[in-house]
Amino acid sequence: MTDADLVHAASSGSDVAFSRIVERHQGAVRNFLRRLLAGGWADADDVAQDVFIVAWREIGRLEDPAGLRAWLLGIAWRRAQDGTRAAFRRAVRDGAWSQSRDASNGGSAEDRIALAQAMARLPPPVRACVALCVADGWSHAEAALALDLPIGTVKSHVSRGRARLLSMLGGGDDA
Amino acid sequence: MTPEKDLEALFALDAAPRRDPAFEAMIAKRIARRRSVAAVGAAAPLAVAGGALLWGLRPVWSGLVEGAVMPEPEGAVLAAAVLALGSALAVVRQVLRG
């Protein structure tokens, strides 16, 4: 079943279809929010839940059902913007990032903290572009659609954000 | 490993699982709660209207119920208002929690 099929079914009131949408896209939405909120996994997952509740309520208004993923990420982006800075401060203060990470996944805690802190220093639009295009491999066009930004701006944000991250993490020049 | 690959590997550590039944169940639960609240919300005006209709038709049906204890109009209106207010508060609480 395609996303468009699921959207049509969910618009008609099918909770099964909407469950499939959640199953299919929860990873993308949560990944994006975890990176955007730079370390606060619990906050990110709370926002992700809200995103799907909004999507359930508004799915009948989705004009392009094939663009479901970008639409969901757009909702996530708008909902996260207000709370981004506060959520990061709370996550660092509470040490939530360290409790919610699984050490068996590899990577040192210091590297992860450094990445979360480096991400938090990026302006939110740059961070969002990096989260989608660098971390999750989205195309610039899809990120532009989700974030409602011109594609040239997305390219610029990705390039600048990647360079700043590499610089802050000690791996390259701050271009 | 290049710095770019290092960066990708670090980002991969933050990835959510591809399937997460607990997360999906939480969404389903919140949606089910909202559906039930919406159903109560939709039924409340009908219940109030039905109560008002019954009260308005009291002269018609009171004669059919011999010896029934009838509330005074003020009492009936007050009881209906309390019921409606209680239902509205319950709905609002559910919505805020959901």
Side-chain angles (χ1 to χ4, degrees):
Chain A
M1 230 179 171
T2 65
D3 276 354
D5 295 333
L6 291 173
V7 168
H8 287 308
S11 301
S12 305
S14 168
D15 284 347
V16 174
F18 193 79
S19 297
R20 290 281 297 139
I21 288 173
V22 174
E23 177 189 325
R24 191 175 286 182
H25 295 288
Q26 58 88 19
V29 171
R30 293 164 78 193
N31 284 348
F32 173 64
L33 287 167
R34 286 177 178 194
R35 286 150 190 164
L36 191 63
L37 297 177
W41 281 18
D43 285 324
D45 284 358
D46 284 349
V47 176
Q49 282 190 23
D50 293 342
V51 168
F52 282 106
I53 297 301
V54 171
W56 172 74
R57 207 173 53 220
E58 307 275 326
I59 199 158
R61 297 183 194 170
L62 174 57
E63 291 174 1
D64 174 20
L68 174 64
R69 188 171 76 148
W71 180 69
L72 288 170
L73 269 290
I75 296 172
W77 166 233
R78 288 187 294 276
R79 285 196 74 88
Q81 279 184 90
D82 292 341
T84 302
R85 198 178 294 270
F88 174 70
R89 279 200 300 265
R90 192 163 56 248
V92 169
R93 185 192 64 213
D94 297 345
W97 56 268
S98 60
Q99 293 166 11
S100 57
R101 282 166 165 72
D102 180 0
S104 66
N105 284 347
S108 74
E110 290 79 11
D111 288 342
R112 290 165 167 183
I113 298 167
L115 178 63
Q117 290 180 336
M119 282 289 278
R121 286 192 199 107
L122 300 177
V126 176
R127 197 184 316 158
C129 291
V130 167
L132 291 180
C133 298
V134 178
D136 272 343
W138 285 44
S139 69
H140 292 143
E142 201 176 11
L145 184 66
L147 303 175
D148 196 23
L149 292 172
I151 192 166
T153 304
V154 171
K155 286 180 182 174
S156 158
H157 282 348
V158 169
S159 172
R160 195 177 312 138
R162 181 195 283 118
R164 284 191 61 187
L165 278 185
L166 289 173
S167 172
M168 285 187 274
L169 295 171
D173 298 327
D174 193 350
Chain B
M1 197 180 262
T2 66
E4 296 259 348
K5 291 287 179 194
D6 278 340
L7 192 56
E8 285 174 23
L10 272 179
F11 274 126
L13 297 174
D14 272 343
R18 289 183 62 82
R19 284 291 319 270
D20 188 343
F23 181 85
E24 292 159 22
M26 188 61 72
I27 303 282
K29 187 177 167 188
R30 287 183 63 177
I31 288 174
R33 190 183 297 153
R34 282 177 178 255
R35 274 204 190 287
S36 61
V37 168
V40 170
L46 288 176
V48 172
L53 184 67
L54 278 176
W55 181 78
L57 293 176
R58 190 177 56 146
V60 176
W61 58 262
S62 63
L64 303 175
V65 188
E66 196 174 344
V69 178
M70 301 304 300
E72 292 300 315
E74 294 82 1
V77 169
L78 184 63
V82 167
L83 270 176
L85 184 64
S87 303
L89 285 176
V91 168
V92 167
R93 281 183 59 193
Q94 286 288 329
V95 168
L96 291 178
R97 277 196 316 199

